[in-house]
Amino acid sequence: MDSFRTAKLARKKRQKWWSHHIPLAYAFLTGLFILIYLSVAFVDRLVTRSLITLGVSPSGMNLILGTASCGLGIWGIGQRKGLGTGWVVMFVWCLLGGVLMLAKAF
């Protein structure tokens, strides 16, 4: 009976700790999402400007970026052994985004 009571108290402590830190967790995840989104948008804009400067047409940009995105998605899905579900979902989105870019290129 003593181990049951100890486990119950430990569970209550964990629940209490998380209930006090949920806003912090939401703020952290939202900030992380914004940071990743802005980083990807910056890199995308930088790559697009660089390719336009080199004389690549918009269709060619879609072809290059779509091929790179598809390749990253296929590679990531193939490497799913040690990765979690979130990474696999991200690689699937990358693959689908690449397919859409390739469709726009043609």
Side-chain angles (χ1 to χ4, degrees), residues 2 9 23 53 72 74 94 105:
D2 192 35
L9 286 174
T53 303
L72 180 65
I74 291 170
C94 192

Side-chain angles (χ1 to χ4, degrees), residues 1 15 24 27 29 32-34 36 38-39 47 55 79 82 96:
M1 189 68 149
Q15 288 173 344
L24 178 64
L29 289 176
L32 185 64
F33 176 77
I34 290 170
I36 290 171
L38 290 177
S39 299
V47 168
Q79 298 292 322
L96 292 175

Side-chain angles (χ1 to χ4, degrees), residues 42-53:
F42 177 73
V43 168
D44 184 44
R45 182 173 289 167
L46 183 68
V47 168
T48 304
R49 285 183 185 168
S50 300
L51 289 174
I52 287 174
T53 303

Side-chain angles (χ1 to χ4, degrees), residues 1-33:
M1 189 68 149
D2 192 35
S3 63
F4 175 74
R5 183 168 285 167
T6 304
K8 186 177 177 182
L9 286 174
R11 187 172 58 248
K12 281 187 177 184
K13 274 185 162 182
R14 282 193 307 268
Q15 288 173 344
K16 187 175 181 181
W17 188 88
W18 278 112
S19 68
H20 290 300
H21 293 89
I22 286 176
L24 178 64
Y26 280 131
F28 175 76
L29 289 176
T30 303
L32 185 64
F33 176 77

